[in-house]
Amino acid sequence: MQRVALEDLEASEAADGVHLALMAGSESMNVQHFEIEPGAVVEEHSHPHEQTGFIYEGELTFLTDGEELVCGPGDSYAIPGDQPHAAENRGDEPVRGVDIFSPPRENPSWEED
């Protein structure tokens, strides 16, 4: 069994105002914590991993397939692998939540050496 405490992690800034920290993981999935500051944008991208997530603070607007979907505290979401998507924090408070990636998202581009 693995335990990873959020307070023990050092987040990486993947884009301006977008802070990510990889948490616990296994052979088939891993968890990532995120904090997205007001006004910050996650540009459109895709990855082979299936992505599910849960927001516990703030509101995040997802953009995919020409549609917008707003998720707030208590909402979960699922993004199929290889589906282009973007996200924006259009609110006045940070958005905080967790994503789960399957297969595990190892060594994301913002952490490559």
Side-chain angles (χ1 to χ4, degrees):
M1 184 172 166
Q2 180 184 36
R3 177 187 176 271
V4 177
L6 183 59
E7 62 266 12
D8 294 338
L9 298 175
E10 187 173 323
S12 297
E13 191 166 20
D16 288 342
V18 179
H19 306 276
L20 308 174
L22 289 177
M23 300 186 75
S26 67
E27 288 184 27
S28 60
M29 68 184 76
N30 65 358
V31 179
Q32 172 183 275
H33 183 268
F34 62 84
E35 180 173 330
I36 303 174
E37 296 173 12
V41 174
V42 177
E43 297 293 338
E44 184 175 87
H45 65 286
S46 65
H47 41 74
H49 316 84
E50 293 182 4
Q51 177 179 352
T52 60
F54 177 79
I55 294 177
Y56 64 87
E57 187 176 310
E59 257 186 15
L60 191 60
T61 301
F62 288 94
L63 302 107
T64 184
D65 293 331
E67 296 183 15
E68 293 185 4
L69 177 66
V70 178
C71 293
D75 289 340
S76 63
Y77 52 87
I79 304 169
D82 295 318
Q83 180 176 16
H85 57 283
E88 300 177 0
N89 180 351
R90 298 176 179 171
D92 297 328
E93 65 178 305
V95 177
R96 293 185 177 93
V98 294
D99 281 323
I100 299 169
F101 293 94
S102 179
R105 189 173 187 180
E106 296 181 19
N107 202 22
S109 60
W110 64 88
E111 291 192 340
E112 290 176 353
D113 296 324

